[in-house]
Amino acid sequence: MEQSQHLLDPDEEFAELSQDCVSHVHEEKYLVFDCTIRKLISLVLCQAKPNCNGKLMGIKKSTIGSLLVVTVKCQFGHIQKLWESQPKHGQKPIGNVLISSAVLLSGSSFSKVCDLFNILKCKSIGKTSHYENQKNYLFPAIDRQWKIEQDSVIENMKKTSVCIAGDGQSDSPGFSAKYCVYSLMDLASRKICSFTVEQVAPPLTSVALEKIGFEKNIEYLLEAGVDIHIIVTDRHTSVRKIMREKYSHIEHQFDVWHLAKSVGNKIITASKSRTGAILAEWVQAIKNHMWWSARTCGEDADELVTRWKSLLYHITNVHEWPTNENYKACLHLPLSPEQIKKKKWLISDSPAMDTLKCIVLNKALLRDLKQITCFCHTGDLEVYHSVCLKYRTKRLHFYIDGMVARTQLAALDHNRNVERLQAMVRNSTTYGDPVGTLRHRVEFSKARKDWVVKNLYEPTSQDFVMDILEDVLRIMHKELATSWESQRSSYPPNIATIPKPDRHELIREHQSRF
């Protein structure tokens, strides 16, 4: 059997042991086992007294969070603190702060990371230390980097009239939301320019939060000197009222995606009846027709409505119709006999057709169609909302400071990666794609119940995380001052609408039921 080779080339250049660390953020860290520490220390001689050089016989370990302090005793009874596993600032181990940073900046939760360390039997920080690190170092550092990013985005927006999109996101599914995060995106750069986190506080309900968040964001941009030409939102009633009464000088457009989704949901509901089952075959086509109508109307509201109504002809296999208007026939190519036979056309006087007419010709819908003439949609804003779920999942509760910081992280992540290019094939693949072509993946869509093609993009950049970590240590070393202040004291401790009862009485009532 051959002898095992050295992992390192003997001729490879070795780094000097006395070399100073350039950055605690960028230097490598290692997971070290107890047995290897003991083995290493057994090779060291006593340094407690000059010229002692006694053999080390005993070891005593103590920890401060993830910091290991090793004290040893030699054969002659000399005791000394031999080694600390990480640098400190004063009495604060830097590794403990970096662990807290890694938890938050990765979008994880302390409880899950704590479980990971416990399973490994690896020493780490406690819950109290983690939340102190967040408050003292992390939240201020994240806030500083977000304000730098926001100022840069707004400065670019000031150069021209802008079109912005806004949408709200609740912190939990259902109707039990505590927070509403309302965000605005500059549609030209696709970057988040402003957001607010609003908390339910009696008498306010979660429904009212979106209106408050929308107004605060708009006022912030206007005060910053941004010339807003168009605002794109969903059809939220309160937002429409604010736009009509307070910002009538700004054009208000509806999001095509939200409107098409609303119509699609109504058709899906109608298709669940016995007489309307055939409508399920046309849901995606009708939504696509709305997109096409908005995109090709030339910003003419009447033309858009005319094109939208034409689907009632097409869906019955009628592709030309008498009218005094310019749009008199479908613009698609003539259908082949096979295509006509394959389609499940509706009968003009059928119950399903009557139901569809009620949806398509609804007066409120026809009125709202006139506000999608600019063909604006918030698809990129929905992508950003997906990024938010990485940092603040709807399944966990965060207090207001944590909600704000995690939203700032999501906005930074999105803004720094929004201009990613589609990945290209660099090596021959199992699918036979030529080198230099754009990369795609094929996956099955549960929503469409069909196979779809999606673009693959270059990996995201996380450079902003390094900037935050550098600021964390600068704040820790008192080299950087920030203006961050906690908002937690400004809000009620909970969102209860009734006074808290006596604890013992409540427990007795609970136990009496069993």
Side-chain angles (χ1 to χ4, degrees):
M1 181 180 294
E2 294 181 359
Q3 293 182 349
S4 61
Q5 297 180 348
H6 292 290
L7 295 177
L8 293 175
D9 186 345
D11 297 328
E12 185 177 346
E13 184 177 348
F14 283 75
E16 295 182 7
L17 288 175
S18 59
Q19 184 176 348
D20 293 333
C21 172
V22 177
S23 169
H24 295 312
V25 170
H26 295 280
E27 71 172 311
E28 295 178 339
K29 292 88 176 170
Y30 304 94
L31 185 66
V32 183
F33 282 56
D34 179 73
C35 61
T36 60
I37 292 175
R38 292 175 181 272
K39 184 176 180 180
L40 179 63
I41 291 175
S42 68
L43 303 176
V44 179
L45 299 178
C46 179
Q47 304 168 28
K49 298 288 183 179
N51 303 320
C52 175
N53 294 330
K55 184 178 180 181
L56 300 181
M57 305 297 292
I59 180 174
K60 180 180 179 182
K61 297 173 295 180
S62 59
T63 57
I64 305 174
S66 62
L67 167 69
L68 171 65
V69 179
V70 175
T71 304
V72 292
K73 183 177 181 180
C74 77
Q75 63 188 99
F76 301 114
H78 301 143
I79 297 175
Q80 70 172 117
K81 184 169 73 172
L82 181 67
W83 180 65
E84 292 182 343
S85 63
Q86 58 187 254
K88 294 190 297 184
H89 175 71
Q91 296 300 313
K92 191 81 171 178
I94 291 177
N96 290 351
V97 177
L98 292 179
I99 287 176
S100 291
S101 303
V103 171
L104 182 56
L105 298 178
S106 65
S108 189
S109 66
F110 177 78
S111 59
K112 285 189 176 182
V113 174
C114 186
D115 288 342
L116 181 149
F117 280 114
N118 288 338
I119 291 170
L120 282 173
K121 299 296 182 184
C122 185
K123 297 295 182 180
S124 184
I125 58 175
K127 186 175 181 179
T128 302
S129 296
H130 171 68
Y131 288 115
E132 284 181 355
N133 291 337
Q134 281 194 151
K135 181 179 178 181
N136 295 333
Y137 313 119
L138 278 161
F139 291 163
I142 294 169
D143 182 69
R144 178 176 182 272
Q145 287 296 325
W146 163 244
K147 286 180 177 177
I148 293 173
E149 171 69 18
Q150 187 180 30
D151 290 343
S152 174
V153 173
I154 290 178
E155 280 302 313
N156 286 327
M157 292 171 66
K158 289 180 183 180
K159 298 176 182 178
T160 182
S161 296
V162 297
C163 174
I164 60 174
D167 196 15
Q169 187 182 33
S170 297
D171 69 307
S172 60
F175 297 94
S176 58
K178 178 180 180 181
Y179 302 103
C180 174
V181 182
Y182 200 92
S183 307
L184 292 182
M185 173 183 285
D186 172 27
L187 289 184
S189 65
R190 296 181 294 154
K191 292 185 176 182
I192 300 300
C193 56
S194 178
F195 74 85
T196 59
V197 181
E198 302 300 327
Q199 178 180 320
V200 171
L204 289 177
T205 62
S206 58
V207 177
L209 298 183
E210 187 160 342
K211 167 192 170 184
I212 296 171
F214 171 80
E215 192 168 3
K216 283 184 178 180
N217 279 290
I218 296 298
E219 287 297 323
Y220 180 82
L221 291 185
L222 292 176
E223 290 175 4
V226 176
D227 179 15
I228 304 174
H229 177 56
I230 299 174
I231 295 177
V232 185
T233 69
D234 57 17
R235 296 188 293 167
H236 194 282
T237 306
S238 298
V239 171
R240 296 169 72 167
K241 184 178 180 181
I242 293 173
M243 287 300 302
R244 185 171 61 251
E245 296 179 352
K246 191 171 182 179
Y247 305 112
S248 57
H249 61 287
I250 302 174
E251 184 174 352
H252 187 202
Q253 288 275 304
F254 294 141
D255 172 27
V256 179
W257 182 83
H258 273 102
L259 189 56
K261 180 182 177 182
S262 174
V263 172
N265 288 341
K266 290 179 180 178
I267 296 173
I268 290 172
T269 301
S271 70
K272 293 179 181 178
S273 66
R274 182 175 57 83
T275 58
I278 192 174
L279 294 176
E281 302 288 332
W282 289 92
V283 173
Q284 191 59 46
I286 292 172
K287 290 165 68 175
N288 291 345
H289 181 74
M290 178 176 286
W291 278 74
W292 175 82
S293 300
R295 191 178 69 248
T296 61
C297 71
E299 299 189 15
D300 186 327
D302 294 331
E303 178 72 9
L304 189 155
V305 172
T306 300
R307 294 190 175 212
W308 168 247
K309 290 180 179 178
S310 70
L311 77 87
L312 296 176
Y313 291 107
H314 175 89
I315 209 166
T316 60
N317 197 24
V318 175
H319 307 290
E320 293 183 5
W321 50 89
T323 179
N324 294 326
E325 298 167 336
N326 294 328
Y327 187 61
K328 301 178 180 181
C330 294
L331 297 182
H332 58 72
L333 296 174
L335 300 178
S336 66
E338 292 78 12
Q339 289 175 314
I340 293 174
K341 185 177 180 180
K342 185 179 179 181
K343 287 285 186 181
K344 295 184 179 180
W345 305 102
L346 271 66
I347 301 172
S348 59
D349 57 352
S350 65
M353 189 63 185
D354 292 338
T355 301
L356 182 61
K357 284 181 179 179
C358 291
I359 297 173
V360 171
L361 301 178
N362 179 271
K363 290 183 178 180
L365 174 61
L366 296 180
R367 182 179 65 248
D368 290 345
L369 281 175
K370 297 180 179 181
Q371 288 182 258
I372 62 170
T373 54
C374 294
F375 189 60
C376 301
H377 63 86
T378 59
D380 290 314
L381 199 51
E382 296 300 327
V383 172
Y384 160 68
H385 284 165
S386 297
V387 177
C388 288
L389 296 179
K390 168 187 173 181
Y391 293 98
R392 45 173 179 79
T393 172
K394 289 176 179 281
R395 300 297 176 183
L396 293 177
H397 170 264
F398 304 104
Y399 288 104
I400 184 68
D401 293 336
M403 283 292 294
V404 171
R406 287 173 179 267
T407 305
Q408 290 172 333
L409 284 173
L412 284 166
D413 194 338
H414 172 85
N415 286 6
R416 300 294 175 86
N417 292 288
V418 73
E419 296 177 353
R420 278 188 304 151
L421 299 176
Q422 188 172 349
M424 300 183 70
V425 177
R426 291 185 172 85
N427 303 301
S428 58
T429 66
T430 56
Y431 303 107
D433 297 330
V435 174
T437 57
L438 297 177
R439 293 184 61 191
H440 302 84
R441 76 169 183 268
V442 178
E443 63 180 37
F444 188 78
S445 169
K446 293 190 293 183
R448 294 191 180 186
K449 295 181 174 59
D450 197 2
W451 290 93
V452 296
V453 176
K454 293 191 175 182
N455 297 338
L456 284 176
Y457 291 89
E458 296 290 346
T460 59
S461 168
Q462 299 296 305
D463 291 344
F464 71 95
V465 171
M466 296 296 107
D467 295 336
I468 293 171
L469 285 173
E470 293 286 1
D471 280 355
V472 165
L473 294 190
R474 289 171 64 197
I475 294 170
M476 181 180 178
H477 294 154
K478 298 188 178 350
E479 298 171 358
L480 177 65
T482 67
S483 59
W484 180 85
E485 293 182 1
S486 174
Q487 299 181 48
R488 190 166 174 181
S489 60
S490 304
Y491 290 87
N494 54 59
I495 59 174
T497 56
I498 58 175
K500 184 177 180 180
D502 178 74
R503 179 176 179 272
H504 299 292
E505 182 62 30
L506 198 61
I507 293 173
R508 280 195 295 270
E509 290 181 7
H510 171 74
Q511 293 175 338
S512 67
R513 290 157 47 197
F514 300 96

